Amino acid sequence: METKNKIRVLIAKPGLDGHDKGAKIVALALRDAGMEVIYSGLHQTLDQIIQTATQEAVDVIGLSIMSGAHLPICEKLMTMMKEKGLEDICLTVGGVIPHQDIPRLKQIGVSAVFPGGTSFEDIVFGMNKLFE
Amino acid sequence: MIRLIDDNNPKAFSLLKQLYPHSGNAFIIGITGSPGVGKSTLIDALIFEFRKLDLKIAVIAVDPTSPFSGGAILGDRLRMQRHASDEKVFIRSMASRGQKGGLSRATKDAAIVLSAMGYEIIIIETVGAGQAEFDIASVAHSIGIVTIPGTGDGIQAVKAGILEIGDIFIVNKNDRPDAQAAVLELKMMLSMRNSNTLGQILNQAPRDKFEICPQKGCSTWAPRVLKTIAQNGTGVKELADTFLSHFDFMKKNNILDLKKKELERIYFNSLLKDLAMGKIELFMQESMDFKDALNQIEAGLVDPITAAEHVVNHLMVTRNLKVQDN
Ligand code: B12
Ligand SMILES: Nc1nc2c(ncn2[C@@H]2O[C@H](COP(=O)(O)OP(=O)(O)OP(=O)(O)O)[C@@H](O)[C@H]2O)c(=O)[nH]1
Ligand SMILES: [Mg+2]
C-alpha cells in the first residue's frame, strides 16, 4: 500500500456559480475510487485555487464549472499555474461544457474534460489514466 | 515536501534530517473532539485571532481514510477557506491512510517541516475517534478538547481517558441551550481529575503525557474550560490568549523543555519501531520459516498463534538474539 502513491485531487468551484451537486458527488466517487480529495467549496478565486493546490501538493486540479465561463477560467488558471511552476499538476474540468469546446480546452492545456452526463466509471478511469 | 512524507518516500528521511535542527521553535497545538463539534470552524476563528498578532500559522488537518476504498474526502479545509490567500497561513490536509507509524509519526514529520519553514504556531486537527486523540498527545505541546452542549450529557461527549490529556476544554456551539450545564459538568469532572485519589488512578492511563509533568516544585497547569461560538468568533480571542498563556506558563516553569524532550523520545521510539519493524518484517517474510508457517496454517496443521511464536523464536535463535522476557 505504501509503494503506490495516492492520487490527490483538489475539487474547486471557481467564481459565483453555485451549482455544487456535481462537484460533491464527483468528490465522493473519487474517494470511493481510492483517491484523496480536497474539496475547497464554492466561490473560489483563482488565487485561492492556486494557493490551495500548492499547499496541498495535489496531483490534479478538478474544476467544476456550470456557468459557461470554462474557457476564460481555464485559460487564466493555466497561465497562473505556469507562472507558479505548477505545470506538473493536471488541470481537469467538468460541468456544463459543450462538446465543441473540448478541443479548445485541450489546446489551452487542460488534461481531461468530463462534461455533464459522463459516468463515474469514465471519470475514475480518466483520472487514473493521467498517471499511467 | 510533506508530500514525500505522506507517500513514505525514501527521500523524505534525508530531508527530515536536514530540517530537524531548525524545527524546534514552533508552538504545537492539538485540537481534537468528536466529529462535527466544530473543530475546523474553531481553528478558522483561531487563525483569525493569531493573525491579528501577526503570527505565522500552519494547520495540519487530519481526516480519516476510508478503510474500504483507501480514499478520503479532506473537508476540514473547507471551513478555513477565508485564509486561503493569506501567505502567512499554511493549511495542509492529511488523510490518516494506514500510516506506518500511526498518525503521530505522520503529523510529527509534517510538523517538523512546517516548523522549519518558520511557522510559529502549528495547529493539528484530529477527529476524536479511537486512538487519534492519544496520538496527538505525543506531538502537541498544548491540547484543546472540543465538546458541545446538549448532546445528552457533557460526560458522554468527553470520552473516557480524554479528560487527562486536555489542557484547555472548549464548549463550542455556546449559542445552543445547556452550554452552562456542560461547562459545570466538565469543571466538576476536571476537579476530580485533579483530586488525589482519582487523579492517581487516572494518571495511569495515558502514560506519555503524565510522566512529563508536573515535576516536584514546578507548579501545575490547571486545565481551563472555555465557551465559544466558533461560527461568529465569540470567545475565540480568549481561547487564543489562553493557548498563548499556556505556552508562556510552560516556558516559565520549565515544563516546555521537559515536554519537548519527552516528545522527542516518543518520536525516536516510533522511528525505531518503523525502521526496525519494516526491515525485520521483510526479512521474516523472505525466510523459509515464514513460508512454511503460512502453508501449515493454510492446511490447518498449526494455529496462527503457535506459528507466529515459532517463526519469531526461530529467528531469535538463528540470529543469536536474546531478549529478557517479562
Ligand atoms: C440542479 C440545477 C440547479 C440547482 C443547483 C443545486 C446545487 N446545489 O447544485 C439550482 C436550482 C439551485 C440551480 C440554480 C441555477 N441554475 Co441551474 N441547473 C441545475 C441542473 C438542472 C442540474 C445540475 C446538476 O446538479 N446536475 C447533476 C450533476 C451530478 O451533474 P454535473 O454537475 O453536470 O456533473 C457531472 C459532470 O459535469 C461531471 N463533473 C462536474 N463537475 C466536475 C468536476 C470534476 C473534477 C470532474 C472530474 C467531473 C465533474 O461529473 C458529473 C457526473 O457526470 C442544470 C442543468 C444541467 N443539464 O446541467 C442547470 C443549469 C446548470 N442551471 C443553469 C442556470 C442558468 C441556473 C441559474 C442561474 C438560474 C437562475 N436564473 O436563477 C441558477 C444559478 C444558481 C447559482 N447560484 O449559481 C443553467 C446554466 C446555463 C449555462 N451554463 O449557460 C443550466 C445548464 C440549465 C440550463 N440549461 O439553462 N440550478
Ligand atoms: N450553532 C453552531 N454551529 C457551529 C458552531 N461551530 C461550528 N458549527 C457548525 O457545526 C458544523 C460542523 O463544523 P466543523 O467545523 O466542520 O466540525 P468539525 O469538528 O471540524 O467536524 P469534523 O472535522 O467532520 O469532525 C458546521 O455546520 C458548522 O457550521 C457554533 O459555535 N455554533
Ligand atoms: Mg473538521
Side-chain angles (χ1 to χ4, degrees):
Chain A
M1 202 164 74
E2 271 102 18
T3 47
K4 188 174 172 284
N5 294 348
K6 292 244 161 81
I7 299 179
R8 277 173 78 91
V9 186
L10 167 63
I11 295 196
K13 289 216 43 101
L16 292 176
D17 154 29
H19 296 86
D20 56 357
K21 219 191 296 168
K24 283 178 172 163
I25 294 177
V26 169
L28 290 173
L30 295 180
R31 177 199 63 186
D32 291 345
M35 298 175 201
E36 290 181 2
V37 182
I38 293 115
Y39 178 57
S40 73
L42 292 169
H43 310 319
Q44 296 294 295
T45 65
L46 297 187
D47 274 330
Q48 283 176 321
I49 293 173
I50 293 280
Q51 183 94 334
T52 303
T54 312
Q55 294 187 352
E56 299 287 359
V58 294
D59 305 299
V60 186
I61 299 175
L63 301 177
S64 180
I65 308 175
M66 316 285 280
S67 64
H70 43 276
L71 285 172
I73 291 176
C74 289
E75 195 157 15
K76 182 88 199 293
L77 190 67
M78 203 64 208
T79 314
M80 289 168 78
M81 285 166 70
K82 282 186 183 137
E83 273 166 15
K84 300 277 175 182
L86 301 178
E87 300 94 327
D88 286 351
I89 300 180
C90 298
L91 180 61
T92 65
V93 54
V96 179
I97 316 264
H99 278 270
Q100 68 264 26
D101 287 349
I102 296 180
R104 176 77 190 115
L105 285 166
K106 291 272 169 80
Q107 200 188 340
I108 290 170
V110 173
S111 308
V113 185
F114 306 99
T118 314
S119 72
F120 292 143
E121 286 81 39
D122 287 344
I123 291 176
V124 170
F125 181 80
M127 285 281 183
N128 277 320
K129 216 175 131 208
L130 297 175
F131 299 96
E132 266 163 15
Chain B
M1 274 188 287
I2 302 179
R3 186 62 199 265
L4 295 176
I5 295 163
D6 255 9
D7 290 335
N8 236 314
N9 190 305
K11 272 188 229 146
F13 253 74
S14 67
L15 241 163
L16 281 171
K17 270 189 262 182
Q18 279 172 34
L19 294 178
Y20 193 80
H22 310 283
S23 73
N25 293 322
F27 174 38
I28 306 178
I29 295 174
I31 300 277
T32 184
S34 306
V37 293
K39 299 177 293 294
S40 304
T41 317
L42 197 62
I43 291 173
D44 174 69
L46 271 174
I47 299 175
F48 188 73
E49 292 300 333
F50 286 135
R51 287 300 297 131
K52 283 193 203 156
L53 306 171
D54 202 30
L55 292 161
K56 277 182 82 180
I57 326 279
V59 177
I60 305 169
V62 186
D63 268 314
T65 295
S66 155
F68 303 108
S69 68
I73 299 253
L74 308 173
D76 297 316
R77 189 184 184 100
L78 182 56
R79 310 243 176 255
M80 309 173 196
Q81 258 334 28
R82 65 173 154 155
H83 305 291
S85 38
D86 182 342
E87 276 171 14
K88 289 183 176 170
V89 178
F90 191 109
I91 301 166
R92 182 60 150 84
S93 317
M94 278 176 109
S96 54
R97 44 171 125 169
Q99 292 287 356
K100 240 189 175 174
L103 191 56
S104 53
R105 247 291 308 280
T107 45
K108 175 77 183 185
D109 291 350
I112 289 171
V113 176
L114 292 168
S115 175
M117 281 165 76
Y119 289 94
E120 292 153 292
I121 295 190
I122 299 174
I123 305 178
I124 302 174
E125 169 178 347
T126 60
V127 178
Q131 187 57 32
E133 64 260 54
F134 299 107
D135 280 349
I136 205 171
S138 56
V139 184
H141 304 138
S142 182
I143 295 180
I145 307 230
V146 188
T147 64
I148 48 173
T151 46
D153 53 347
I155 300 177
Q156 198 58 12
V158 182
K159 286 191 309 182
I162 205 176
L163 212 54
E164 298 69 53
I165 66 167
D167 300 299
I168 298 171
F169 290 80
I170 303 136
V171 178
N172 188 38
K173 308 202 185 182
N174 192 24
D175 47 330
R176 292 207 191 160
D178 301 331
Q180 196 49 35
V183 170
L184 287 176
E185 213 161 8
L186 260 173
K187 283 192 171 156
M188 202 185 71
M189 302 274 298
L190 287 168
S191 70
M192 288 200 293
R193 149 183 158 180
N194 292 334
S195 80
N196 278 335
T197 39
L198 209 93
Q200 272 165 7
I201 301 166
L202 290 176
N203 286 358
Q204 288 167 358
R207 273 177 293 120
D208 294 346
K209 190 78 194 278
F210 263 81
E211 278 166 4
I212 311 165
C213 65
Q215 285 238 321
K216 263 218 175 91
C218 78
S219 36
T220 327
W221 169 262
R224 308 289 149 87
V225 182
L226 298 175
K227 289 184 286 188
T228 57
I229 304 174
Q231 264 171 334
N232 64 15
T234 308
V236 179
K237 179 175 189 319
E238 203 188 343
L239 177 61
D241 289 345
T242 309
F243 272 120
L244 293 177
S245 67
H246 184 215
F247 191 44
D248 277 345
F249 176 90
M250 288 190 291
K251 265 202 259 185
K252 281 205 192 91
N253 292 295
N254 262 330
I255 300 173
L256 192 63
D257 284 337
L258 286 174
K259 192 174 272 198
K260 281 185 178 167
K261 293 229 164 75
E262 173 72 20
L263 297 185
E264 202 165 40
R265 206 154 60 222
I266 294 172
Y267 183 48
F268 171 63
N269 271 327
S270 64
L271 284 166
L272 267 188
K273 232 184 255 167
D274 284 2
L275 286 177
M277 278 315 294
K279 293 208 167 121
I280 294 175
E281 240 173 73
L282 253 184
F283 179 80
M284 281 205 282
Q285 284 171 7
E286 278 162 8
S287 75
M288 259 338 268
D289 270 3
F290 178 81
K291 283 164 197 156
D292 285 350
L294 266 192
N295 289 335
Q296 288 192 13
I297 294 170
E298 202 168 324
L301 295 172
V302 63
D303 65 279
I305 308 155
T306 314
E309 215 172 39
H310 176 77
V311 173
V312 173
N313 284 343
H314 198 227
L315 172 84
M316 304 290 274
V317 171
T318 51
R319 296 279 131 182
N320 225 341
L321 299 168
K322 281 201 195 87
V323 187
Q324 205 101 67
D325 263 335
N326 48 2

